[in-house]
Amino acid sequence: MTAREICYSYRSARHKAQQIQILAELNAVDSLEIIKVLVHGGEKLPDSTVNKLYKRLDKLEMEIREREREYKAIAAALKGEL
């Protein structure tokens, strides 16, 4: 589907959050690709979708911090730092 068709299908859908997943499956892409197309096309995302993405970002940030700590500890150990 073209970006225009994706936006039209989304705009016409009654359940927009579900339509994102449907469009992803129809186009054999990740739902984030559909979200990018929709945002680029000026479509407003459902609050539930935006909230889910922010929660995922928060979780990823915590995981990155933990990995960073582990990385620094290993690097310090290899250098013989106390």
Side-chain angles (χ1 to χ4, degrees):
M1 297 176 83
T2 66
R4 181 182 223 161
E5 291 170 325
I6 289 170
C7 289
Y8 177 76
S9 177
Y10 173 79
R11 204 174 310 118
S12 302
R14 177 172 282 175
H15 303 286
K16 296 193 182 323
Q18 293 173 345
Q19 187 68 8
I20 292 170
Q21 185 59 41
I22 292 168
L23 287 166
E25 291 172 12
L26 286 173
N27 289 281
V29 297
D30 187 90
S31 59
L32 287 176
E33 292 301 316
I34 298 300
I35 290 170
K36 286 182 204 175
V37 170
L38 294 173
V39 170
H40 184 73
E43 300 296 331
K44 183 182 182 320
L45 298 175
D47 289 340
S48 62
T49 300
V50 172
N51 290 338
K52 186 189 302 185
L53 290 172
Y54 276 117
K55 284 181 184 178
R56 181 66 182 143
L57 281 175
D58 289 343
K59 184 175 180 184
L60 287 170
E61 186 177 351
M62 289 182 349
E63 289 175 15
I64 289 168
R65 270 193 249 132
E66 180 57 37
R67 297 283 183 183
E68 201 170 33
R69 273 182 248 159
E70 181 181 359
Y71 176 90
K72 288 177 182 178
I74 291 171
L78 288 172
K79 292 179 184 177
E81 296 175 356
L82 298 177

